[in-house]
Amino acid sequence: MKEKHKEKTIDYILRSTWMSVTKMYNEEAGKKGSTMATGFALISIDPEEGTPSTALGPKMGMEATSLSRTLKAMEQKGLIERKPNPDDGRGVLIHLTHFGKEMRDFSKGVVLGFDEAVQKNVSVEELQTFRKVANTINELVNSKKIYDSEK
């Protein structure tokens, strides 16, 4: 007797979808010798004022060690430069170079292209529901309401 096809868990759907998006972004970034992580960093850096290195990790949802490797690679490729933060003697501001700004525009185009393609194929109502569900999941996880039995 065949087992009835089970519905996939929410976490499976999230993971497999994100893995597909990651693969797509890395393929597009690879056309310019880049990576998805570099693209997200470029988009997260203020193109005019620069961004404090300490603010970049939380903004991107990256751990400090991964971010450090990404920034080092970006600096070696001439995408960014580090400058002292005039408001914080110990801090560093990450600034985009001219090449970094060009690559930021490319990365932004890739993200907007993906967004546009999804919006063409998914109704406004479905996208609103998707955003609502994603926000609820984030709130549940961030407020530790899933496994913390004390609450």
Side-chain angles (χ1 to χ4, degrees), residues 20-35:
S20 296
V21 171
T22 300
K23 184 175 185 243
M24 174 197 66
Y25 277 153
N26 276 319
E27 285 172 2
E28 284 303 305
K31 293 174 182 176
K32 295 270 191 177
S34 191
T35 65

Side-chain angles (χ1 to χ4, degrees), residues 46-112:
D46 184 306
E48 305 307 321
E49 306 291 320
T51 300
S53 55
T54 52
L56 214 46
K59 195 172 183 182
M60 294 176 57
M62 276 179 93
E63 296 295 326
T65 50
S66 298
L67 179 62
S68 181
R69 277 193 302 270
T70 299
L71 292 177
K72 186 175 182 177
M74 290 173 71
E75 198 169 22
Q76 289 170 344
K77 289 180 179 175
L79 295 166
I80 61 166
E81 52 190 3
R82 300 170 199 245
K83 296 179 181 177
N85 186 341
D87 301 328
D88 175 3
R90 297 170 300 165
V92 173
L93 287 177
I94 307 296
H95 284 272
L96 297 175
T97 62
H98 180 71
F99 178 48
K101 288 178 182 179
E102 286 177 13
M103 287 298 286
R104 180 182 194 274
D105 289 342
F106 168 76
S107 297
K108 215 170 171 181
V110 170
V111 171
L112 293 174

